[in-house]
Amino acid sequence: MAQRWWDEGLPFKCTQCGNCCRVEGYVWVEDEDIQKLAKYLEIQPEQFEKQYVRQVGHKRSLIEKPNYECIFWDKGCSVYPARPPQCKTFPFWPQNLQSLETWLEVVEECPGAGIGPVYSREEITVLLQDRGETNKKES
Ligand code: SF4
C-alpha cells in the first residue's frame, strides 16, 4: 500500500463546539440519507426533500439558514442519530488529509482535531470512504 503522511494515525475527539456545523458549505445527501432523516423526523421523504434539500448541479445538499448554520443546528445537532455520512466522518475527509498543510488548516478550525484518541491508518481509510463514524473512545 502507498505510504501516507498520516500512516501513524491522527488524534481526534469532537468537543461538540459546532464550528463545522456553522459554516457555509454543503452537506451532501443521497436517497438513503434522506430516508433516514425523514424517518427520524417522522415525515415522508418527499416532504423532507421539499423542505430541507437543495439541488446543487447533479447532487443534493441540506439547506442552510441565512447565517450559514446547518438547518438542523439548534445549540447542537437536532438530528444527530440520523446525521449524514459526511457529518459522521468529519474531519477525516479526503480534501482534509491531502497533506499535512490541509490537516493543519482543519486543526485551526476544529478544536477536536489533534486531541483525543488516535485513529489508525485502517480506521482513517474506512472513514475516508464515507463509511463508519468518529466515535472512538479514549483507550
Ligand atoms: S469543529 Fe470539530 S470539535 Fe467542533 S463540533 Fe465539529 S468536529 Fe466537533
Side-chain angles (χ1 to χ4, degrees), residues 7 10 34 57 68 74 101 112 117 129 135:
D7 271 354
L10 290 170
I34 290 171
Y68 301 124
D74 183 19
E101 287 70 31
Q129 293 162 5
N135 57 359

Side-chain angles (χ1 to χ4, degrees), residues 12-21 73 90-91 109-113:
F12 172 70
K13 182 178 174 52
C14 180
T15 66
Q16 316 281 330
C17 75
N19 285 359
C20 58
C21 318
W73 175 261
F90 183 82
E109 304 296 327
C110 167

